[in-house]
Amino acid sequence: MRLLLVEDDAQLSKRLKASLKQAGFAVDVAENGLDAEHAGMEIDYDIVVLDLGLPQKSGIEVLQQWRNKNRKMPVIILTARDAWYERVDGFKAGADDYLGKPFHVEELLARIRALIRRQHEDAPNKFHLRGYVLDEEKQQLLNDETVIELTGIEFRLLRYFLLHPGKILSKTRLTEHVYENDADKDSNVIEVYVNHLRKKIGKDIIETRRGQGYIFRSDD
Amino acid sequence: MYSLQSRLGLWLGLMLVLIFGLHMLLMSNFPRYLAEEHILTRLQHDGESLYARLIIESGKAPRLSKGPLSPIYKTPLSGHYFFVQAGEHTLRSPSLEGETLDMPEVHPGGSTVLRLDGPLQKKLLMWVSETRKNGQAFTLAVAEDIEDIDEDISELRKAYFIGTSVTVLLLIFLQRFVIRRTLKPIEKTRKELLAIEAGEASKINQEVPSEIQPLVSQINRLLEVMHKRIERSRNASGNLAHALKTPLSILNQVAETPEILAHPELSKEISQISATIKTAIDRELKRARLVGGALPGQCFYADRELPELVDVMQKIFAEKSLHFDVSIPAGKKYSADREDMLELFGNLLDNACKWAKQHVKLIIMDEPGLYFVVEDDGEGVEKEALKSLTQRGNRLDEKIPGHGLGLSIVQEIVEQYGGQIEFGISEKLGGFSVRISLPETL
């Protein structure tokens, strides 16, 4: 899950980025309105966390620009300006959710997860896979007896597959949604992680389409 | 309070009536005076020529010397008469047909003029002279019927009265027209002021007569100053909230770092302090942002804004998939600050959504002012709690953060707009019910 965090307070964004990464998101940070607008136009983010009081261009304007250019990624506004008229204006500009500062990270994560789930309407409340349940907070697959631990990248990759079952996903697309901007990207690394997942869950769970990418087979 | 237009109209009208009344009074006797003067001169002339022809001899009836007599004195009851009385002897014009005219007392050598009823009860103007000829004293009277002239004069006076009255009425009408035309700019300014009060305009047109121009520009200036001041204080409170809440968010994050979480007591304490500060910021800054009914030139379009607010609620509470029953009269608007009103409805709907199981109801009555009900199908509130609810900041449910604060802000807004608030249990939905009425104007 690729996430854009737009926040001008460096201290807050540093901590928030760490928390979000830990929760399994590939996090890019934009510190001003113009950078944010550009990033949102160029990259298909799975979710955006947007502050409103930004230097150079206000969050509302940035959001309006995205929506005008038909950028439909879910946006959650995270701001200290939480008067009701500001919320109404935020939603009118195209926001999908609104969270007032100060907030707790769990609150933000819960809202992000709910929003992503709403975005993929057919996604279940909890992901089930071959008798296992995906615990998004602990990043584990569980059944009554065993626990399968997942690394950060494995978890991100698996969750992306789970949200897009039965679709051909190219390596580039997977890379884009699993890694953040500043990561050392090599789409061949995806192959390695796909193999890890196959080993942990089952070989036939991810089918390779030569020259096209992978298809996730969620047979339950 | 009085109206310039009616006051001007009243005074000018009264003055017109007064002047024309005086004029009429003076003028009404003028034609009679003129006519009588004219007749009197003739009577005197006739009297003088009669005197010249009179033959008075002691012990004999007076007679006229030979010569033709004017036919008007011959024709019976012609309206022209003369009458001479010398002792017990008399001489009357043939026109009198033997009738007598009552002679007044006139001192010797004098003359007098009088009116009296003559033959056929007709009004006569009579000139009487007490004089002598050949040493004989006698009274000579010449009279003329003025009945017809009197009638003519009355007719004239009537016509004059009617003419004058019509003129006065016409002038009053014209005056009203002129006054209304002259005061038109003031009326226009008055309408613009009303539009400002209703929030349909933000300033008054400066093209007004020089007499009220300073007033208009002062009002415009004050409006601008007030708007700017409110904007500035709103921005300041918004900036303060922003400046405080971002560090608080960081503080929350710090409290959740593994190092601090290793000491749960410490983490909890930091979180609590952060929550206390947040509540204080919300309470005071939200209150400071309220404009209240003091500022004119505001308008809240309920039929446009509230459906949007309900959409927002649906998104915020998307997980609950609530059903909203909203009824707003078409075109409903209210003279109030948009931000205040959204804060009012936002807090009420937010509370209702938090408590509701499935249904939230918002009904705006089609009545002047703003009269509405917000209800939900939640647990409702105990009767005891209903009483204490009206107390400021009384927190209804500590488990649902911000509930008590929300209601206290609602109450603050209602107070600032001079309205009434009533808490209860919804009859239909069974949950909490808030009924609010805000007056039309302050």
Side-chain angles (χ1 to χ4, degrees):
Chain A
M1 292 277 112
R2 188 90 175 259
L3 182 149
L4 176 63
L5 172 63
V6 188
E7 166 64 58
D8 63 322
D9 188 284
Q11 220 181 335
L12 179 60
S13 67
K14 198 181 100 198
R15 289 190 177 274
L16 206 48
K17 183 180 177 179
S19 306
L20 290 168
K21 268 178 94 166
Q22 212 189 342
F25 292 95
V27 182
D28 292 339
V29 176
E31 287 178 355
N32 64 61
L34 288 180
D35 288 353
E37 187 185 346
H38 181 75
M41 292 291 184
E42 293 299 313
I43 299 161
D44 288 325
Y45 285 103
D46 297 292
I47 188 151
V48 178
V49 176
L50 180 66
D51 187 11
L52 291 187
L54 296 172
Q56 294 178 39
K57 197 163 198 174
S58 85
I60 291 281
E61 279 176 276
V62 170
L63 181 52
Q64 279 167 342
Q65 289 294 328
W66 285 340
R67 298 311 191 212
N68 283 345
K69 293 273 157 61
N70 218 14
R71 304 295 289 168
K72 287 179 180 157
M73 65 281 198
V75 172
I76 176 164
I77 289 177
L78 180 65
T79 179
R81 298 174 196 275
D82 62 348
W84 278 102
Y85 84 93
E86 288 167 315
R87 292 187 202 216
V88 169
D89 292 345
F91 277 102
K92 263 163 85 176
D96 299 279
D97 204 353
Y98 207 101
L99 185 61
K101 284 180 187 171
F103 58 97
H104 288 276
V105 175
E106 289 82 57
E107 210 179 344
L108 178 63
L109 286 175
R111 284 183 175 271
I112 289 173
R113 286 188 190 121
L115 202 49
I116 289 172
R117 205 155 283 138
R118 254 193 282 159
Q119 221 51 31
H120 302 265
E121 272 173 20
D122 43 350
N125 244 349
K126 274 204 184 298
F127 292 111
H128 294 268
L129 184 65
R130 307 217 159 157
Y132 291 97
V133 174
L134 181 69
D135 183 331
E136 292 187 55
E137 276 167 47
K138 291 184 182 151
Q139 305 185 3
Q140 299 166 330
L141 279 169
L142 317 159
N143 68 8
D144 293 342
E145 297 124 39
T146 42
V147 174
I148 303 176
E149 296 285 350
L150 297 167
T151 66
I153 299 292
E154 283 166 11
F155 169 72
R156 292 182 194 179
L157 197 59
L158 177 59
R159 190 172 50 182
Y160 198 78
F161 275 130
L162 281 164
L163 282 170
H164 305 90
K167 282 183 195 150
I168 298 177
L169 302 172
S170 68
K171 277 190 217 168
T172 327
R173 182 167 171 187
L174 288 170
T175 314
E176 267 181 9
H177 287 270
V178 169
Y179 289 106
E180 49 263 8
N181 239 350
D182 48 0
D184 186 17
K185 270 180 284 183
D186 178 358
S187 62
N188 289 325
V189 181
I190 289 292
E191 275 175 44
V192 178
Y193 286 107
V194 166
N195 283 331
H196 285 179
L197 282 179
R198 281 179 175 146
K199 260 182 223 156
K200 285 186 178 176
I201 309 160
K203 202 161 187 215
D204 54 338
I205 194 120
I206 300 163
E207 190 183 299
T208 306
R209 285 282 178 94
R210 208 156 293 277
Q212 285 177 302
Y214 300 101
I215 298 183
F216 184 75
R217 292 292 176 201
S218 147
D219 37 18
D220 48 18
Chain B
M1 209 156 69
Y2 60 89
S3 139
L4 276 180
Q5 191 169 315
S6 52
R7 195 166 257 214
L8 262 175
L10 184 71
W11 280 108
L12 287 174
L14 272 177
M15 273 161 83
L16 265 182
V17 169
L18 200 76
I19 287 167
F20 272 86
L22 264 170
H23 187 249
M24 207 147 63
L25 231 102
L26 287 174
M27 292 304 285
S28 67
N29 282 323
F30 194 62
R32 171 181 295 263
Y33 172 77
L34 265 184
E36 287 188 359
E37 274 301 287
H38 184 74
I39 292 168
L40 211 56
T41 316
R42 213 167 54 213
L43 288 176
Q44 273 170 345
H45 282 168
D46 281 9
E48 273 157 24
S49 46
L50 277 170
Y51 178 86
R53 290 177 65 185
L54 255 181
I55 298 165
I56 307 277
E57 282 161 332
S58 163
K60 280 189 183 172
R63 62 192 161 86
L64 291 174
S65 63
K66 284 224 166 71
L69 185 63
S70 169
I72 52 167
Y73 289 111
K74 284 190 199 157
T75 316
L77 303 174
S78 67
H80 294 262
Y81 313 106
F82 62 80
F83 186 81
V84 180
Q85 176 122 35
E88 63 264 33
H89 299 290
T90 56
L91 170 69
R92 1 181 143 202
S93 63
S95 54
L96 265 175
E97 290 218 297
E99 297 235 16
T100 312
L101 296 173
D102 299 329
M103 288 291 129
E105 291 275 321
V106 183
H107 62 88
S111 67
T112 189
V113 177
L114 74 154
R115 287 154 187 273
L116 75 162
D117 283 339
L120 302 175
Q121 298 300 309
K122 293 215 170 167
K123 278 193 197 107
L124 298 180
L125 184 68
M126 188 161 76
W127 176 76
V128 186
S129 174
E130 185 70 37
T131 184
R132 330 180 124 249
K133 198 169 183 181
N134 299 339
Q136 295 283 321
F138 66 95
T139 312
L140 168 65
V142 188
E144 188 177 330
D145 186 337
I146 52 164
E147 185 99 7
D148 286 349
I149 290 173
D150 248 18
E151 250 166 47
D152 283 352
I153 289 172
S154 312
E155 285 292 311
L156 186 71
R157 281 170 78 168
K158 215 192 272 172
Y160 179 66
F161 178 77
I162 291 170
T164 308
S165 303
V166 169
T167 310
V168 169
L169 284 177
L170 207 73
L171 277 175
I172 288 177
F173 183 77
L174 275 173
Q175 239 170 32
R176 278 177 57 117
F177 175 72
V178 169
I179 290 170
R180 205 173 292 170
R181 250 193 101 90
T182 313
L183 294 183
K184 214 174 184 179
I186 294 184
E187 176 61 20
K188 208 177 125 226
T189 304
R190 192 181 72 92
K191 278 189 184 143
E192 284 180 356
L193 270 172
L194 286 179
I196 283 178
E197 203 166 284
E200 287 152 1
S202 61
K203 63 191 260 191
I204 306 171
N205 192 344
Q206 295 271 20
E207 281 167 28
V208 291
S210 58
E211 286 88 344
I212 59 166
Q213 211 277 331
L215 191 70
V216 167
S217 56
Q218 274 300 315
I219 291 174
N220 278 341
R221 203 181 61 84
L222 277 175
L223 282 173
E224 204 181 309
V225 166
M226 276 173 89
H227 277 290
K228 273 196 182 144
R229 191 164 294 169
I230 281 173
E231 203 174 307
R232 206 178 310 140
S233 79
R234 275 194 164 159
N235 277 342
S237 63
N239 290 342
L240 183 60
H242 187 72
L244 289 173
K245 282 179 175 178
T246 303
L248 277 184
S249 301
I250 298 171
L251 195 65
N252 279 347
Q253 309 243 346
V254 171
E256 285 158 12
T257 51
E259 296 93 318
I260 304 284
L261 279 174
H263 309 274
E265 288 299 306
L266 204 55
S267 170
K268 206 178 154 197
E269 207 176 332
I270 296 175
S271 288
Q272 272 171 359
I273 291 170
S274 158
T276 310
I277 299 174
K278 176 192 151 52
T279 310
I281 294 171
D282 279 346
R283 190 190 309 269
E284 294 313 319
L285 290 185
K286 280 196 172 166
R287 206 158 274 163
R289 292 183 69 86
L290 298 182
V291 171
L295 188 68
Q298 331 174 79
C299 196
F300 175 65
Y301 298 93
D303 65 330
R304 224 165 50 207
E305 303 275 4
L306 290 179
E308 281 173 3
L309 185 62
V310 170
D311 280 353
V312 167
M313 292 296 162
Q314 249 155 353
K315 277 183 182 155
I316 292 177
F317 293 92
E319 310 286 295
K320 284 182 93 166
S321 48
L322 293 169
H323 180 264
F324 286 84
D325 180 4
V326 180
S327 157
I328 303 162
K332 177 73 188 171
K333 55 183 181 178
Y334 179 61
S335 306
D337 179 73
R338 170 181 179 253
E339 297 178 17
D340 286 1
M341 288 299 111
L342 283 178
E343 200 61 31
L344 173 68
F345 283 98
N347 278 301
L348 285 170
L349 287 174
D350 188 48
N351 272 346
C353 291
K354 275 177 192 158
W355 283 81
K357 290 183 196 123
Q358 269 187 303
H359 292 277
V360 174
K361 198 164 150 183
L362 167 65
I363 308 288
I364 301 205
M365 317 294 176
D366 195 4
E367 278 176 40
L370 193 60
Y371 183 33
F372 65 93
V373 187
V374 177
E375 292 180 346
D376 62 66
D377 62 349
E379 294 294 316
V381 189
E382 297 282 317
K383 274 195 177 163
E384 252 80 318
L386 276 179
K387 272 185 221 157
S388 60
L389 242 183
T390 28
Q391 284 161 30
R392 189 171 280 200
N394 195 324
R395 291 175 77 89
L396 252 186
D397 184 354
E398 295 289 345
K399 277 176 262 167
I400 302 178
H403 193 120
L405 180 62
L407 278 186
S408 89
I409 281 172
V410 164
Q411 198 170 11
E412 185 91 8
I413 296 169
V414 172
E415 266 169 33
Q416 290 211 11
Y417 283 87
Q420 302 266 319
I421 187 163
E422 201 184 297
F423 301 107
I425 301 296
S426 163
E427 273 178 35
K428 265 198 173 165
L429 298 178
F432 193 45
S433 149
V434 185
R435 205 168 266 273
I436 288 176
S437 64
L438 303 181
E440 197 167 6
T441 41
L442 281 181

